[in-house]
Amino acid sequence: MFDLDRWREIFQSINKNRLRSVMSGFTVAFAILLFTLLFGVVSGLSNSFKGAFADDAQNSMFIRVWKTSKPYKGLQTGRTVQLKNKDYNYIADEYDSEIQYKSARIFKNFTIKYKNEANSYSVMAVNPDHQFLEKTIMDEGRYINERDIREKTKSIVIGRLLKEDLFGARPALGKRVNVNGSSFLVIGIFSDDGGDNEERKAFIPLSTAQIMYGNNDYISQIALGYNPNLNLDEAIAFGNKMERDLRSKMNIHPDDQSALSVRNMAEANKGIGQFMGILYGIVILIGSGTLVAGIIGISNIMIFVIKERTKEFGIRKALGAKPSSIVAMVVQESVLITTIAGYVGLSLGTYILSLIGNSLEEDYFIKDPSVSPGIVIGATFVLIISGLIAGYLPAKKAANIKPIVALRAD
Amino acid sequence: MIKIEKLHKSYPIGKDSLHVLKGIDLHIKEGEFVSIMGSSGSGKSTLLNIVGLLDEHDEGKYYLNGQLIDKLNEKKAALLRNKFLGFIFQSFNLISYKTALENVALPLYYKGMARKERLEIALEYLDKVGLKDWANHLPNELSGGQKQRVAIARALATKPKVVLADEPTGALDSTTTDSVMDLLKDINDEGMTVFVITHEEEVAEQTKRVVRLKDGLIISDEITAIGKAKAI
């Protein structure tokens, strides 16, 4: 297939007819440029959506309770539902294989005081796994551990901004702060991708909180991370099953969303997945349309080019060129032009996307737009095929013109 | 070398057909220098196209170098043209974006010859037509006579059996006409069969045999004064 002489012929023909070659390449380059930009922008949108949920673990689930809104089994509407340690332990035992992380939560707001600085902060009582559920990043010290839970230690993990409020530039680790009248030891300082509010929180051991808050076993919420080996549908099924199970166990009407609800990230992820799927579908449709327009453009130009070169082909045939050698020459030239032009369009598109970078994230929700290598390879393949078709059909026709007819052409 | 028997050719024009060649018998032996004379429309160009395998005949028989030409496909015709025939056209038919040297080397490329070798041979033939110094010029930088000499060099480069010239001097002034005819005579003197089509008496006089066509038929076939002189 590799024929140096033929490539020489092709390069000479391209080089001596630059305007023509550039014109035919332009449509393809432009089509690919549009395709790349379109695809990049959608992938940027997709990245933004994924980023919006980066605060919490992708596999998190939250069980919340409030008041019943429907009567059930003789129990009245308006009854306050309360989660307790036994519910937490039940879920932990019953669904052990489906669960990766688990933590109970109690929310309170307290004044936290260090020396003369004091402020009201949200304090969350949690289990050790909570670190992974909220994607808490430890900057200094450590998170709450099992020993804290067992021994009900008065330990506190504070957010980066909370630390700055109370301590300023001074070290906080190992110092004692006053939380609602009790003295707590600062064992860690954290940061969080979720933003400023998240970094003005504090975490204390769940067991400590339950004694402090009235010596009961109440909990406000249960946070779970489902087993990442489950696919989205399995995770949704697991969430639904657990919800039904808890409702029947706690005598709640099966449809009572107010009394007990399970917020499952798997459902949100599935929704986003479907939305992005539709968006990609539209892009592929528009993108293919653009490509087809580009291919038709180059076919038109090839038809014109070949008409212009009919006499040249006649001369070549009179000198002994076989029809196949003329077809091969034209097709190779066409493939070369489309491939190079497509590559130029692709590179330009990728370059523009890299320039855009994250600058449109704030206003347009486009984060890090880019095209994947798979798309690049696919597009290149499409280009080569389209170059083949665009060149082959008119070349075949031209090569079959009788030499006397071709020689007469002007 | 070329043997034609009862050759007929007609072209469809709308519903009718134009009978151009009405039974031509012609035998050209190796080393002959033949001119076909005739006014426009006499069928002389059609005859050359058929002899040159650029067109197909309808009836009759055509032998080229002893081989019967019948229902050739384009590929076979291309091979035969490359092997046996060299063309010289009235309008030169050089490829405009190739230099003189590359134009001469082109038929050798289709012969499958290596680049270095074919450029050497092409230069040799350019030298032969006196254009060695113009080898790297494009056709539009050459005069009409020079272009035709490049075309002659190109026709000769493959060492064909027959050189076919279709009004080779039609686009040239009288001085350059003479130089081109001298070149064709030289070629013929070296033993090449040359087949010229013309409507100019001065050109025909310089060949060795003149065949006159009228309305698709041969009306005379004579040896010229030069031909007689050479024969003696």
Side-chain angles (χ1 to χ4, degrees):
Chain A
M1 188 60 204
F2 189 82
D3 180 343
L4 186 64
D5 280 327
R6 179 170 294 151
W7 284 112
R8 226 187 284 265
E9 283 285 308
I10 288 165
F11 281 121
Q12 189 175 41
S13 153
I14 290 176
N15 201 29
K16 296 289 166 69
N17 303 286
R18 277 191 204 130
L19 179 69
R20 190 178 76 193
S21 311
V22 168
M23 286 304 287
S24 43
F26 180 78
T27 46
V28 171
F30 198 68
I32 291 290
L33 175 65
L34 286 180
F35 183 77
T36 313
L37 289 181
L38 211 61
F39 222 91
V41 163
V42 170
S43 83
L45 275 178
S46 161
N47 289 341
S48 278
F49 272 108
K50 282 179 194 154
F53 295 90
D55 175 23
D56 298 329
Q58 289 287 306
N59 59 342
S60 58
M61 297 167 83
F62 299 95
I63 304 169
R64 292 165 169 165
V65 290
W66 197 48
K67 285 178 179 171
T68 56
S69 62
K70 285 177 177 152
Y72 188 63
K73 287 189 179 169
L75 293 164
Q76 281 189 340
T77 306
R79 175 174 63 100
T80 303
V81 180
Q82 181 62 57
L83 286 170
K84 294 179 183 167
N85 282 353
K86 65 175 168 57
D87 301 315
Y88 174 71
N89 292 334
Y90 169 75
I91 291 168
D93 291 345
E94 189 72 18
Y95 297 104
D96 188 44
S97 63
E98 281 98 340
I99 292 171
Q100 183 187 26
Y101 300 122
K102 55 185 185 292
S103 172
R105 295 164 132 183
I106 306 170
F107 302 104
K108 295 276 183 191
N109 277 308
F110 288 129
T111 302
I112 302 180
K113 201 173 152 193
Y114 177 74
K115 294 194 173 161
N116 294 327
E117 300 289 337
N119 233 323
S120 176
Y121 295 102
S122 139
V123 176
M124 209 192 285
V126 297
N127 293 95
D129 274 1
H130 196 265
Q131 180 184 0
F132 309 110
L133 290 166
E134 277 267 5
K135 285 195 180 168
T136 305
I137 302 151
M138 295 310 297
D139 294 343
E140 287 178 62
R142 62 169 177 87
Y143 203 74
I144 288 152
N145 63 20
E146 290 297 342
R147 201 182 128 256
D148 293 322
I149 301 289
R150 213 163 48 236
E151 298 179 3
K152 304 181 176 68
T153 60
K154 290 197 169 175
S155 307
I156 189 164
V157 180
I158 60 173
R160 187 176 61 86
L161 294 174
L162 193 157
K163 182 250 166 195
E164 273 177 26
D165 290 349
L166 297 184
F167 292 86
R170 288 169 291 176
L173 206 63
K175 299 281 188 305
R176 291 201 161 263
V177 291
N178 184 314
V179 181
N180 200 29
S182 307
S183 174
F184 275 74
L185 179 69
V186 177
I187 57 165
I189 296 152
F190 71 87
S191 56
D192 194 297
D193 287 340
D196 293 356
N197 283 338
E198 295 292 325
E199 294 182 342
R200 282 209 160 81
K201 277 183 184 168
F203 297 110
I204 58 172
L206 187 93
S207 52
T208 314
Q210 284 177 333
I211 295 175
M212 235 176 106
Y213 301 164
N215 206 11
N216 57 27
D217 65 348
Y218 291 178
I219 50 186
S220 326
Q221 222 181 59
I222 295 170
L224 300 172
Y226 65 77
N227 188 335
N229 293 331
L230 299 180
N231 65 34
L232 286 180
D233 287 328
E234 285 166 351
I236 290 167
F238 158 53
N240 292 340
K241 181 166 176 282
M242 186 173 66
E243 192 172 353
R244 278 196 304 277
D245 191 7
L246 282 175
R247 284 208 173 116
S248 79
K249 198 164 171 291
M250 297 170 85
N251 292 323
I252 297 167
H253 189 280
D255 296 330
D256 194 345
Q257 284 296 326
S258 162
L260 185 141
S261 67
V262 174
R263 188 178 138 224
N264 192 343
M265 283 298 288
E267 286 176 30
N269 282 338
K270 192 173 182 186
I272 292 166
Q274 281 167 341
F275 176 69
M276 293 316 297
I278 291 169
L279 211 54
Y280 272 115
I282 292 170
V283 164
I284 287 170
L285 202 70
I286 297 173
S288 332
T290 319
L291 279 185
V292 168
I295 293 164
I296 292 173
I298 195 174
S299 308
N300 272 329
I301 291 166
M302 283 316 287
I303 289 169
F304 173 74
V305 163
I306 283 162
K307 212 168 174 61
E308 196 188 60
R309 292 179 73 179
T310 303
K311 183 159 184 167
E312 181 195 327
F313 296 156
I315 298 169
R316 286 175 182 272
K317 284 175 88 171
L319 298 180
K322 289 172 218 145
S324 60
S325 89
I326 286 174
V327 173
M329 184 173 78
V330 172
V331 166
Q332 248 169 286
E333 189 178 323
S334 161
V335 168
L336 187 72
I337 291 175
T338 40
T339 311
I340 290 176
Y343 196 73
V344 167
L346 200 64
S347 313
L348 198 62
T350 323
Y351 178 65
I352 291 173
L353 289 177
S354 75
L355 284 187
I356 292 172
N358 289 335
S359 62
L360 294 179
E361 193 183 350
E362 288 294 314
D363 297 333
Y364 299 101
F365 304 107
I366 295 165
K367 185 184 177 187
D368 186 25
S370 59
V371 282
S372 65
I375 295 294
V376 173
I377 293 165
T380 314
F381 193 68
V382 168
L383 283 176
I384 293 173
I385 298 286
S386 52
L388 270 175
I389 298 168
Y392 181 76
L393 296 178
K396 182 84 187 153
K397 205 175 146 205
N400 284 335
I401 298 177
K402 276 191 191 171
I404 51 156
V405 180
L407 281 171
R408 241 183 264 136
D410 267 317
Chain B
M1 180 55 52
I2 291 170
K3 198 174 174 194
I4 289 169
E5 289 168 3
K6 296 190 181 65
L7 196 77
H8 285 262
K9 175 73 184 176
S10 41
Y11 289 109
I13 296 173
K15 281 177 187 170
D16 303 322
S17 76
L18 182 66
H19 203 174
V20 183
L21 297 181
K22 301 167 182 169
I24 303 275
D25 291 290
L26 186 64
H27 188 191
I28 299 173
K29 290 192 263 319
E30 193 162 356
E32 277 199 276
F33 190 3
V34 184
S35 61
I36 306 282
M37 278 284 291
S39 57
S40 132
S42 59
K44 60 187 193 302
S45 284
T46 304
L47 181 62
L48 179 114
N49 287 335
I50 290 170
V51 170
L53 304 176
L54 297 173
D55 204 352
E56 289 162 348
H57 56 276
D58 298 334
E59 279 174 50
K61 283 187 176 130
Y62 169 30
Y63 298 90
L64 174 63
N65 201 32
Q67 185 180 346
L68 178 67
I69 304 299
D70 189 29
K71 293 193 182 80
L72 283 182
N73 62 26
E74 280 289 346
K75 191 177 165 184
K76 277 186 195 153
L79 282 172
L80 288 176
R81 282 197 291 268
N82 190 259
K83 201 170 171 189
F84 294 123
L85 304 171
F87 288 93
I88 300 166
F89 300 97
Q90 180 176 6
S91 53
F92 322 128
N93 283 345
L94 300 175
I95 291 175
S96 60
Y97 62 81
K98 287 184 176 291
T99 63
L101 186 68
E102 287 165 337
N103 265 291
V104 176
L106 194 59
L108 299 171
Y109 163 62
Y110 288 117
K111 219 180 179 78
M113 197 179 275
R115 182 178 163 84
K116 198 177 163 224
E117 197 183 345
R118 64 178 191 255
L119 289 181
E120 269 170 25
I121 291 174
L123 195 63
E124 207 176 286
Y125 278 92
L126 272 182
D127 191 21
K128 193 171 176 158
V129 299
L131 289 174
K132 196 177 181 179
D133 296 339
W134 298 81
N136 294 315
H137 286 250
L138 291 173
N140 61 15
E141 296 162 347
L142 303 174
S143 73
Q146 286 172 324
K147 282 185 209 175
Q148 198 57 299
R149 269 144 62 196
V150 173
I152 293 170
R154 181 177 67 181
L156 297 176
T158 52
K159 293 195 178 73
K161 294 277 183 194
V162 183
V163 167
L164 299 170
D166 186 3
E167 303 269 11
T169 59
L172 304 176
D173 61 43
S174 57
T175 327
T176 43
T177 295
D178 288 344
S179 75
V180 164
M181 286 313 294
D182 286 343
L183 204 51
L184 290 178
K185 273 187 267 180
D186 290 345
I187 294 162
N188 177 245
D189 286 343
E190 287 168 22
M192 181 82 73
T193 314
V194 181
F195 189 90
V196 181
I197 280 190
T198 185
H199 64 276
E200 293 170 80
E201 285 291 349
E202 307 88 79
V203 171
E205 276 169 13
Q206 296 182 57
T207 64
K208 290 180 187 165
R209 178 179 162 195
V210 181
V211 177
R212 286 172 203 277
L213 277 186
K214 194 179 180 187
D215 295 332
L217 287 169
I218 292 175
I219 51 170
S220 74
D221 186 348
E222 309 162 333
I223 306 294
T224 62
I226 293 175
K228 283 172 187 158
K230 284 272 162 85
I232 300 160

